[in-house]
Amino acid sequence: MARMHCFGVIGDPIEHSLSPYMHNRAYAVLGMTDHHYLPFHVRPENLAEAVLGMRALGIAGFNATIPHKEQLVALMDELDPMARLIGAVNTVVIRPDGRLIGYNTDGYGFVTALREVFAAALPGVELLILGAGGAARGVLAALLAEGADRITLMNRTQDRAVTLAAQFAASFPGRLITAQPWSATLPAARLVINTTSLGMEPHADPVPDLSGLPESALVYDIVYAPPLTPLLHAARARGLKVENGLGMLIHQGARAFEIWTGQAMPVAEVRQGLRAERGVSSLF
Ligand code: ATR
């Protein structure tokens, strides 16, 4: 019997993950009938055991989502430079000899998706990132790798933004990375990226005032469910360009697919399938 190639995604919770659909759809389109991708519900206290179990079972690789990305770093035998910079792992290769190689494809996914809707060169462009958690780290690292040099971080808890800005400023000398207190009005920026759950909690806070953004601004929210977050809704009402995080999700998966299989994910078919069969789509 031909060797099976088994992959999966771990998270807590996991039932809403679209990754199994995306990868299995790609296998089907490419006729890779010996490839399989499954969701695994792994609680934080079982992470190390789950990773050893996957290695023992001969699983070839896996993705990780909330809350495992940061904890996985310490469990890897080798780290890709981007995973080291971000301090989080979302894609793991389990080599035939059992070695665990950690990658982070979230930043790549973000930049690739951003490039589909924002073509301007990043140096000189004023960028504003809302949030200072794990997702903000991935976005910040990817933007800096693309040459961004004027970045403001704004976070509800300002200390976290100050720490993040200082850390990346040390790794990228010459770039202007500043933290500013959370304010009800956003500072002028050509590109605003929201990495927070702003306005989505049960007792939603008001979204910030967008009147200071230039007409040419793009507002990008890394969330894709709902497709139009309160922030994107407000931005669209002002006539600004908006995009949600579905493209980021697809492209981080496409990069993982390529790392594991050496083949390009059929992105157009995966995107079309997500829209037709899962009811999720981009805004552009
Ligand atoms: P993630 O990995 O998704 O970034 P995280 O590390 O928990 O998750 O970070 C969540 C981010 O969303 C933080 O920047 C958080 O702000 P605080 O550092 O002040 O907690 C931000 N956030 C969550 N709810 C928010 C809200 N209602 N308004 C503004 N920011 C919010």
Side-chain angles (χ1 to χ4, degrees):
M1 201 177 104
R3 185 166 171 244
M4 286 291 164
H5 301 271
C6 294
F7 300 89
V9 57
I10 61 170
D12 178 25
I14 197 61
E15 53 273 12
H16 300 299
S17 173
L18 292 172
S19 292
Y21 176 82
M22 293 198 306
H23 286 266
N24 286 312
R25 167 108 179 122
Y27 302 148
V29 169
L30 297 176
M32 298 163 72
T33 52
D34 54 352
H35 281 62
H36 306 274
Y37 188 111
L38 289 165
F40 297 106
H41 182 198
V42 175
R43 295 200 171 82
E45 62 271 26
N46 296 328
L47 178 64
E49 204 178 337
V51 170
L52 291 179
M54 286 192 283
R55 190 163 76 170
L57 289 168
I59 286 176
F62 62 95
N63 284 133
T65 185
I66 292 170
H68 300 310
K69 294 183 191 185
E70 280 90 2
Q71 279 65 37
L72 270 179
V73 170
L75 300 174
M76 297 295 107
D77 295 309
E78 281 176 42
L79 278 182
D80 175 73
M82 201 60 169
R84 189 186 306 278
L85 180 65
I86 297 173
V89 165
N90 82 321
T91 301
V92 176
V93 170
I94 308 180
R95 288 209 188 131
D97 67 1
R99 282 181 74 76
L100 301 164
I101 322 297
Y103 295 82
N104 192 309
T105 69
D106 287 332
Y108 166 89
F110 167 70
V111 162
T112 307
L114 179 69
R115 284 319 196 181
E116 294 176 343
V117 294
F118 188 87
L122 294 182
V125 174
E126 291 283 354
L127 308 180
L128 173 65
I129 299 177
L130 304 180
R137 291 183 68 87
V139 164
L140 178 57
L143 289 169
L144 286 165
E146 282 286 294
D149 56 5
R150 308 181 71 80
I151 305 177
T152 302
L153 303 179
M154 198 169 110
N155 194 49
R156 187 176 56 179
T157 310
Q158 199 196 349
D159 285 0
R160 291 183 81 190
V162 170
T163 305
L164 189 58
Q167 192 195 339
F168 277 81
S171 304
F172 289 86
R175 314 288 182 95
L176 198 61
I177 311 168
T178 52
Q180 81 155 54
W182 191 262
S183 74
T185 303
L186 295 191
R190 268 287 299 291
L191 183 55
V192 178
I193 302 125
N194 179 41
T195 72
T196 75
S197 47
L198 179 67
M200 293 180 63
E201 272 136 319
H203 305 290
D205 317 277
V207 295
D209 181 346
L210 306 177
S211 59
L213 301 183
E215 301 272 298
S216 60
L218 169 76
V219 180
Y220 191 105
D221 202 314
I222 69 162
V223 166
Y224 56 84
L228 201 61
T229 62
L231 180 71
L232 294 185
H233 195 270
R236 193 177 248 186
R238 245 217 70 195
L240 303 178
K241 286 199 291 278
V242 296
E243 182 54 300
N244 65 28
L246 189 67
M248 176 178 177
L249 174 82
I250 294 172
H251 288 293
Q252 65 74 33
R255 180 79 189 111
F257 187 90
E258 197 177 325
I259 289 170
W260 289 325
T261 69
Q263 300 204 51
M265 179 182 264
V267 165
E269 284 90 340
V270 169
R271 194 188 289 272
Q272 189 274 333
L274 284 168
R275 188 186 319 121
E277 294 183 43
R278 294 301 166 103
V280 287
S281 51
S282 303
L283 298 173
F284 251 65

